[in-house]
């Protein structure tokens, strides 16, 4: 699936520049609305994307880092450039269901993700948190995931910048590599 978002689709944006993530992407939300990658039921075997991602290559799954209990992955439907999620391998819905090692590593990965995002993108701030339950806005409520959304001053006004974006899959691939390259060791 390629989504072109610009009248200049061949234009290339240099990666590694502080504003490389400062894009708002919205057309791909259509895929989400249409149900692509949505589980068909509440169990791990019901096509849960968070259960399937770890079996893919880092590149195919957009995995930034893998731990013992959790992994960090780019959101295919980002609220902002560099939108990451920290996800336990185990298919659990509620934060209170995490065991001790999962709780610790989820917190540690959250910190390392902030460090990586600052190093790669110069993020000025973050929104971090979990939507618990569909009623609270969780898109995939059966498998919990911690969102990290980097923020920059003025990023609510980025829509005019959208004309400079790459084809989305290429941008996500570059973003994944940038973050993986600067992901801090434990
Ligand atoms: Zn799952």
């Amino acid at each position: 699936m390629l989504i072109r978002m610009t009248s200049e689709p061949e234009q290339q944006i240099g990666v590694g520049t502080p504003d490389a993530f400062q894009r708002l992407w919205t057309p791909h939300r259509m895929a989400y609305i249409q149900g692509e990658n949505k589980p068909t039921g509440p169990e791990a075997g019901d096509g849960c994307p968070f259960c399937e991602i770890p079996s893919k290559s880092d590149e195919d799954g957009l995995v930034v880092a893998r731990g013992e209990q959790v992994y960090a992955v780019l959101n295919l439907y980002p609220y902002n450039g560099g939108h990451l999620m920290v996800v336990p391998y185990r298919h659990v819905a509620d934060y209170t269901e995490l065991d001790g090692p999962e709780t610790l590593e989820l917190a540690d990965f959250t910190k390392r993700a902030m460090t990586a995002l600052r190093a790669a993108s110069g993020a000025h701030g973050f929104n971090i948190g979990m939507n618990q339950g569909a009623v609270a806005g969780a898109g995939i409520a059966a498998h919990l995931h911690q969102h990290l959304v980097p923020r920059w001053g003025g990023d609510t006004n980025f829509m005019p910048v959208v004309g400079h974006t790459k084809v989305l899959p290429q941008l996500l691939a570059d973003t994944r590599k940038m973050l993986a390259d600067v992901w801090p060791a434990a």
Side-chain angles (χ1 to χ4, degrees):
M1 176 184 65
L2 292 181
I3 301 172
R4 295 202 185 276
M5 301 162 58
T6 168
S7 57
E8 304 170 81
E10 304 310 317
Q11 182 173 4
Q12 300 291 302
I13 299 297
V15 296
T17 53
D19 71 341
F21 291 173
Q22 294 182 36
R23 311 282 184 268
L24 274 183
W25 302 312
T26 53
H28 52 283
R29 287 184 174 280
M30 291 304 294
Y32 186 77
I33 292 164
Q34 290 161 8
E36 187 175 307
N37 297 327
K38 293 281 280 186
T40 56
E43 304 302 328
D46 294 332
C48 173
F50 293 131
C51 286
E52 293 171 358
I53 286 168
S55 67
K56 300 179 178 179
S57 69
D58 288 356
E59 289 75 15
D60 288 344
L62 295 174
V63 175
V64 172
R66 298 173 194 255
E68 296 289 323
Q69 313 291 335
V70 306
Y71 64 95
V73 61
L74 280 183
N75 194 328
L76 268 177
Y77 313 106
Y79 292 117
N80 214 347
H83 180 173
L84 275 180
M85 297 174 295
V86 178
V87 189
Y89 294 115
R90 199 160 60 93
H91 185 86
V92 292
D94 199 272
Y95 186 58
T96 63
E97 296 177 72
L98 292 181
D99 65 19
E102 288 167 337
T103 304
L104 280 175
E105 196 173 54
L106 188 136
D108 181 56
F109 258 50
T110 301
K111 293 198 293 187
R112 288 202 256 168
M114 288 178 66
T115 300
L117 283 163
R118 284 194 174 116
S121 75
H124 298 152
F126 298 91
N127 294 110
I128 298 173
M130 283 177 264
N131 299 323
Q132 290 278 269
V135 71
I140 299 170
H143 195 141
L144 80 84
H145 44 287
Q146 167 103 300
H147 292 273
L148 286 94
V149 181
R151 302 297 302 268
W152 297 267
D155 61 8
T156 55
N157 295 316
F158 278 165
M159 290 311 290
V161 182
V162 88
H164 296 289
T165 55
K166 293 181 180 183
V167 175
L168 182 69
Q170 184 185 0
L171 187 62
L172 286 171
D174 289 347
T175 301
R176 188 212 68 79
K177 185 174 188 317
M178 288 170 66
L179 290 169
D181 286 349
V182 299
W183 187 263

